[in-house]
């Protein structure tokens, strides 16, 4: 016989039911057959809550791909709906981890492809698509949905989502992944702490993106499916959702840890959506923006240790005197005696690079030493041996660039000690240069 939902470690750990009974409807026969393995776990009312759920998912990328597919398979939104918020298009480099997409989808809107794949798995579900989730629509989207799931790839969106969810008391399933590690939690005011109890806001100093640090594609699948699991637990009042806890996963050691997070008593509850877009690092994040946890917030200790706030100290973000503005780079490179030095990693240069014309070239790299003015030496190599940077004797100035300016500033400082010619760091790196090139 099917077991009651309360047999699975309690009924949502004392949390209130999210889907009112009046929204529940009997499942069609085909849906009962399709979800029969669920009905062996819990009574049909839980599956009816999945069907009636109204979920808003931010991001259809590395985290969004597995979690959206899992929600579709679980029967979410057949009577309610799922809204997919993503204004990006599929890029060839996404295919290593964003499993909703194929080669033929490159260039297509992610939200449209996600809707097709989910409908193919579960034709009866209702799917809406929305552009970017931001300050203009965040509060309204929270009011229209039972649950918010954040799989975004930038810090600004993450904190907009956190503020909007706290203001409207909408439960927020949060996940982040970088390299081989990931984290998952549930923020649900007033029942537990929020994202701003973990971090004050977006980091005020540069952090690594997925392109810079890398990410194991399978790790995004693990974290994305854990996020889907948390969403289903909340919808169905199953087990103990991660409210007030952060689960961490390390792929290299195949270990998980659960750490407790407490509300910061000095923090005022969110009453407005703070403007995070103006912060210099607001767009710098992994998938899982993260896409999003490049500064590891964990403390060493027991598996049920306390989480501490590791908030970045304010930094002065005014350009250094040795910075070169992106708009000035083409003119700088017009001088045949000026040199361009890329200090990113090899895999980053494979994706895109700045040419000697000042343009951004995608999808390949120039052969090594094709032009002595176009130099590539990663930061680590420069730190180990500054003499490894072969600057032509005829050079009269050097412009150094990386992804967003942090690494290039380090190299510029090193080379100013060893070279007798001016050395500049490209402010904002290739990310800022792409904006100028457009």
């Amino acid at each position: 016989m099917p077991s009651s939902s309360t047999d699975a470690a309690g009924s949502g750990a004392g949390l209130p039911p999210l889907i009112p009974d009046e929204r529940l409807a009997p499942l069609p026969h085909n849906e009962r057959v399709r979800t029969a393995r669920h009905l062996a776990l819990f009574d049909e009312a839980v599956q009816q809550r999945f069907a009636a759920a109204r979920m808003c998912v931010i991001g259809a990328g590395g985290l969004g791909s597995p979690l959206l597919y899992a929600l579709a398979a679980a029967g979410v939104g057949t009577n309610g709906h799922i809204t997919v918020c993503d204004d990006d298009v599929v890029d060839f480099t996404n295919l290593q981890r964003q499993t909703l997409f194929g080669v033929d989808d490159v260039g297509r809107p992610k939200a449209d492809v996600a809707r097709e794949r989910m409908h193919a798995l579960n034709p009866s579900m209702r799917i809406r698509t929305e552009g970017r989730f931001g300050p203009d629509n965040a509060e309204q989207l929270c009011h229209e949905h039972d649950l918010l799931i954040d799989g975004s790839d930038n810090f600004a969106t993450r904190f907009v989502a956190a503020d909007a969810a706290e203001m409207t008391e909408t439960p927020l399933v949060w996940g982040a992944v970088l390299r081989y590690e990931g984290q998952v939690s549930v923020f649900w005011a007033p029942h537990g702490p929020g994202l701003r109890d973990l971090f004050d806001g977006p980091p005020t100093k540069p952090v690594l993106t997925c392109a810079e640090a890398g990410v194991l594609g399978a790790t995004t699948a693990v974290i994305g499916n854990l996020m889907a699991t948390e969403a289903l637990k909340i919808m169905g009042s199953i087990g103990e959702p991660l409210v007030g806890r952060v689960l961490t996963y390390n792929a290299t050691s195949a270990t998980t840890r659960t750490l407790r997070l407490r509300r910061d008593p000095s923090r005022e509850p969110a009453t407005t959506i703070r403007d995070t877009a103006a912060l210099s690092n607001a767009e710098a994040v992994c998938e899982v923006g993260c896409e999003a946890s490049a500064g590891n917030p964990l403390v060493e200790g027991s598996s049920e240790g306390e989480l501490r706030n590791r908030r970045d100290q304010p930094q002065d973000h005014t350009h250094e005197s040795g910075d070169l503005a992106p708009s000035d780079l083409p003119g700088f490179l017009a001088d045949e005696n000026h040199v361009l030095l890329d200090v990113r990693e090899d895999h980053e240069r494979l994706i895109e690079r700045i040419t000697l014309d000042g343009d951004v070239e995608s999808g390949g790299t120039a052969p090594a030493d094709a032009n002595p003015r176009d130099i590539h030496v990663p930061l680590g190599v420069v730190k180990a041996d500054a003499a490894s940077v072969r600057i032509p004797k005829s050079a009269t100035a050097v412009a150094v660039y990386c992804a967003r300016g942090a690494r290039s500033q380090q190299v510029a400082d090193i080379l100013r000690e060893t070279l007798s010619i001016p050395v500049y760091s490209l402010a904002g790196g290739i990310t800022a240069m792409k904006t100028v090139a457009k």
Side-chain angles (χ1 to χ4, degrees):
M1 292 179 62
S3 60
S4 168
S5 61
T6 58
D7 292 341
S11 181
L15 297 170
L18 210 55
I19 310 297
D21 289 344
E22 55 266 27
R23 280 173 45 194
L24 304 187
L27 298 175
H29 175 71
N30 285 348
E31 187 64 4
R32 295 187 77 254
V33 173
R34 200 183 69 82
T35 61
R37 299 300 185 273
H38 274 178
L39 301 181
L41 291 173
F42 39 66
D43 58 46
E44 186 171 320
V46 175
Q47 188 63 44
Q48 291 173 2
R49 294 183 192 282
F50 293 170
R54 301 164 184 164
M55 293 191 187
C56 180
V57 178
I58 309 170
L63 295 174
S65 285
L67 74 86
L68 284 168
Y69 213 54
L71 295 177
V76 172
T78 54
N79 292 328
H81 65 264
I82 291 180
T83 298
V84 181
C85 298
D86 200 310
D87 63 350
D88 199 7
V89 298
V90 180
D91 183 81
F92 193 64
T93 61
N94 297 154
L95 304 185
Q96 165 255 8
R97 63 200 178 281
Q98 299 184 16
T99 51
L100 277 178
F101 314 124
V103 174
D104 292 341
D105 299 316
V106 171
R108 297 185 61 200
K110 289 183 180 180
D112 291 350
V113 181
R115 177 171 52 193
E116 292 175 9
R117 299 292 187 273
M118 294 162 72
H119 269 150
L121 180 62
N122 186 353
S124 62
M125 69 183 304
R126 301 171 184 174
I127 305 168
R128 302 177 182 179
T129 59
E130 183 85 14
R132 179 174 290 272
F133 183 98
D136 294 337
N137 60 3
E139 189 173 354
Q140 181 64 33
L141 285 169
C142 284
H143 283 304
E144 293 174 354
H145 295 85
D146 305 305
L147 179 72
L148 191 61
I149 307 179
D150 183 10
S152 61
D153 64 355
N154 66 84
F155 284 116
T157 300
R158 287 184 175 276
F159 283 91
V160 167
D163 288 344
E166 186 167 307
M167 289 166 53
T168 58
E169 299 186 355
T170 304
L172 170 64
V173 177
W174 173 89
V177 64
L178 188 68
R179 297 178 67 83
Y180 300 98
E181 299 181 7
Q183 303 169 10
V184 182
S185 189
V186 175
F187 305 124
W188 189 357
H191 307 290
L195 181 61
R196 290 191 182 272
D197 296 304
L198 192 58
F199 300 110
D200 276 333
T204 55
K205 56 187 178 183
V207 297
L208 294 177
T209 66
C210 279
E212 297 163 0
V215 60
L216 184 67
T219 304
T220 63
V222 172
I223 300 302
N225 278 291
L226 284 171
M227 294 170 69
T229 301
E230 290 303 303
L232 295 174
K233 286 162 61 179
I234 295 169
M235 289 295 107
S237 296
I238 303 169
E240 299 179 46
L242 287 169
V243 176
R245 296 179 295 153
V246 179
L247 183 147
T248 74
Y249 169 76
N250 186 306
T252 58
S253 59
T255 55
T256 60
R257 301 169 66 200
T258 304
L259 299 112
R260 296 196 179 279
L261 173 66
R262 287 187 278 190
R263 186 172 181 83
D264 183 349
S266 66
R267 182 178 72 84
E268 292 294 327
T271 56
T272 60
I273 296 174
R274 300 190 207 174
D275 181 12
T276 58
L279 293 176
S280 64
N281 205 43
E283 298 299 326
V285 66
C286 190
E287 300 289 345
V288 250
C290 182
E291 71 177 181
S293 197
N296 191 344
L298 305 181
V299 292
E300 299 300 325
S302 67
S303 60
E304 283 292 334
E306 293 295 335
L307 206 62
R308 71 177 177 189
N309 297 329
R310 281 185 51 183
R311 295 164 177 165
D312 295 313
Q313 297 301 311
Q315 303 286 317
D316 182 2
H317 287 285
T318 57
H319 293 329
E320 301 290 339
S321 59
D323 277 359
L324 183 68
S327 58
D328 293 334
L329 183 63
F332 175 90
L333 294 174
D335 189 322
E336 293 292 329
N337 293 317
H338 288 176
V339 172
L340 184 63
L341 172 60
D342 181 358
V343 296
R344 299 172 302 151
E345 299 301 315
D346 292 344
H347 67 273
E348 295 176 78
R349 191 169 170 87
L350 280 171
I351 297 172
E352 57 190 2
R353 70 184 186 96
I354 298 176
T355 68
L356 290 174
D357 294 327
D359 294 327
V360 177
E361 180 182 83
S362 301
T365 181
D369 302 323
N371 190 313
R373 295 178 56 217
D374 186 2
I375 305 171
H376 174 223
V377 184
L379 169 63
V381 177
V382 179
K383 283 185 170 182
D385 179 15
S388 61
V389 183
R390 307 288 185 179
I391 302 296
K393 292 183 179 180
S394 59
T396 58
V398 179
V400 188
Y401 78 94
C402 61
R404 289 173 288 107
R407 288 173 287 176
S408 61
Q409 286 182 359
Q410 295 182 56
V411 170
D413 288 341
I414 293 171
L415 295 183
R416 287 172 190 140
E417 299 294 326
T418 61
L419 298 177
S420 59
I421 57 177
V423 180
Y424 303 97
S425 171
L426 180 64
I430 196 170
T431 302
M433 200 66 208
K434 286 189 289 188
T435 303
V436 172
K438 290 180 181 179

